[in-house]
Amino acid sequence: MRIHPRLPLLCLLLGALAQAAPPFAIRASVARTLVTVGDPVTLTIAITFDTNLRPRKPGPGSGLEPFEIKDYVFHPVRLEGKLAVARVEYQLAVYETGPVFIPAARA
């Protein structure tokens, strides 16, 4: 059986690509999961991305219904090694009773 002379190089390249970090990651967290009607809750969204990318800021009311946005803060982008982290905090309130959920992000 013959092995093509470039096969080992291709295997090394594919292995390096498989171990490479993705170009971005998004994390969302809330300060608490149980609230009373009208209580404020903080939603934090952090986007970690390659410094070659330029993410766009979401609009101030980007599809968070049934929550009402009371305030929001875009924190300065900070560098962590070869990656950058952009963070935004939303102060939300909801005025409906029963279970409510923060909707999934839309592309």
Side-chain angles (χ1 to χ4, degrees):
M1 177 163 139
R2 292 183 54 180
I3 297 177
H4 193 280
R6 294 189 184 182
L7 183 61
L9 179 62
L10 179 61
C11 290
L12 286 173
L13 178 61
L14 291 175
L17 287 174
Q19 293 178 3
F24 68 91
I26 300 173
R27 288 185 329 268
S29 61
V30 290
R32 49 195 180 134
T33 57
L34 289 174
V35 296
T36 304
V37 171
D39 281 351
V41 63
T42 302
L43 167 66
T44 302
I45 299 174
I47 304 170
T48 303
F49 57 95
D50 185 295
T51 54
N52 293 325
L53 299 176
R54 298 287 176 251
R56 290 182 284 164
K57 291 182 181 179
S62 299
L64 290 172
E65 295 81 17
F67 291 87
E68 184 176 309
I69 299 173
K70 296 298 194 178
D71 195 13
Y72 60 94
V73 176
F74 289 101
H75 295 277
V77 174
R78 70 179 195 276
L79 294 178
E80 292 184 359
K82 295 181 180 181
L83 298 174
V85 179
R87 191 168 57 97
V88 60
E89 289 180 355
Y90 291 97
Q91 295 296 319
L92 307 175
V94 66
Y95 298 99
E96 294 182 11
T97 58
V100 293
F101 301 92
I102 294 173
R106 295 183 301 247

